[in-house]
Amino acid sequence: GAVVSQHPSWVICKSGTSVKIECRSLDFQATTMFWYRQFPKQSLMLMATSNEGSKATYEQGVEKDKFLINHASLTLSTLTVTSAHPEDSSFYICSARVPGQGAYGYTFGSGTRLTVV
Amino acid sequence: DQQVKQNSPSLSVQEGRISILNCDYTNSMFDYFLWYKKYPAEGPTFLISISSIKDKNEDGRFTVFLNKSAKHLSLHIVPSQPGDSAVYFCAASDTFTGNQFYFGTGTSLTVIP
């Protein structure tokens, strides 16, 4: 089946540094990818929608200058957390719509646990 | 505004018995629903889905029931196994207007051997 590979699976970084998370669609072309974030004891919340070759669309309350999303190719989307702070510590996960599977074809990456110290 | 709710944060079931996880939603436009299982420090693993044209979908030990009038869906696991112990999320989407999934807060299932 369609697979989205997400890396790294976990990362610890110092406050003030930047972290890049990658999501690659391995056997299909993802024109659109979705980035979610989950805080402890809360549900996954959509952060932004990234479209290949264009600017990402951010959800209300998500700082676009802090969470940089790049979708430069049909198989790769990246989320960069810039100047990370401890409050950015969270679980980040990407999702992509799988072509040819109609309105119901989605696949998720395995997620990235970010801890900012 | 939480459009998808899982009101039971945890559930314990004896091995071999049935596990029933519940999920409620508020948006009547939702037409596609998913259940995910998640182990600690791992991403969600897709379990089973159902579209609004059905009221039941079965896959092995897992069955999802959808009650559109009540805006309620449930996941039944029969028989429950210790390896089923995980956090289960339901998610819903209005596939007509967008691609966003709305997730519940999850139910932690513990299957006791």
Side-chain angles (χ1 to χ4, degrees):
Chain A
V3 174
V4 170
S5 175
Q6 183 171 347
H7 294 280
S9 55
W10 61 271
V11 58
I12 301 173
C13 71
K14 289 186 177 180
S15 186
T17 62
S18 295
V19 174
K20 181 185 283 189
I21 302 169
E22 289 189 352
C23 273
R24 293 182 183 271
S25 55
L26 297 186
D27 47 8
F28 67 99
Q29 293 183 331
T31 55
T32 303
M33 278 203 184
F34 309 91
W35 289 93
Y36 291 84
R37 175 173 57 184
Q38 182 186 25
F39 292 109
K41 298 184 180 180
Q42 295 185 27
S43 61
L44 285 162
M45 298 294 291
L46 181 68
M47 297 175 64
T49 302
S50 81
N51 298 293
E52 187 268 336
S54 63
K55 292 183 178 180
T57 303
Y58 290 82
E59 296 300 302
Q60 189 175 10
V62 179
E63 300 175 61
K64 61 181 180 180
D65 294 330
K66 181 171 185 62
F67 299 98
L68 300 179
I69 291 173
N70 184 282
H71 195 155
S73 77
L74 288 171
T75 59
L76 175 65
S77 177
T78 61
L79 167 66
T80 302
V81 183
T82 63
S83 187
H85 289 282
E87 56 265 31
D88 298 325
S89 298
S90 186
F91 183 79
Y92 295 85
I93 192 167
C94 61
S95 171
R97 190 163 178 174
V98 181
Q101 294 191 9
Y104 307 142
Y106 292 90
T107 185
F108 282 76
S110 55
T112 298
R113 172 70 63 190
L114 170 63
T115 302
V116 184
V117 298
Chain B
D1 180 27
Q2 192 76 20
Q3 298 195 48
V4 178
K5 298 179 182 180
Q6 293 175 257
N7 292 318
S8 298
S10 63
L11 174 69
S12 291
V13 173
Q14 288 285 342
E15 180 179 4
R17 305 294 291 270
I18 184 172
S19 295
I20 300 176
L21 297 97
N22 294 303
C23 181
D24 297 292
Y25 60 96
T26 58
N27 190 339
S28 58
M29 296 302 293
F30 287 153
D31 62 345
Y32 187 52
F33 306 87
L34 308 171
W35 280 96
Y36 276 87
K37 178 170 71 172
K38 184 179 180 299
Y39 295 110
E42 294 183 12
T45 302
F46 171 77
L47 206 55
I48 193 168
S49 65
I50 189 166
S51 69
S52 58
I53 61 174
K54 292 185 175 182
D55 54 18
K56 176 183 175 181
N57 190 25
E58 191 172 354
D59 185 3
R61 296 185 298 114
F62 303 92
T63 303
V64 57
F65 295 91
L66 175 63
N67 183 333
K68 291 184 288 293
S69 60
K71 297 190 183 69
H72 176 85
L73 68 157
S74 61
L75 174 69
H76 292 209
I77 307 174
V78 182
S80 301
Q81 300 173 353
D84 296 329
S85 297
V87 178
Y88 290 78
F89 292 92
C90 64
S93 176
D94 168 10
T95 60
F96 181 73
T97 61
N99 295 295
Q100 178 180 353
F101 275 95
Y102 296 86
F103 286 80
T105 51
T107 297
S108 179
L109 172 67
T110 302
V111 180
I112 304 165

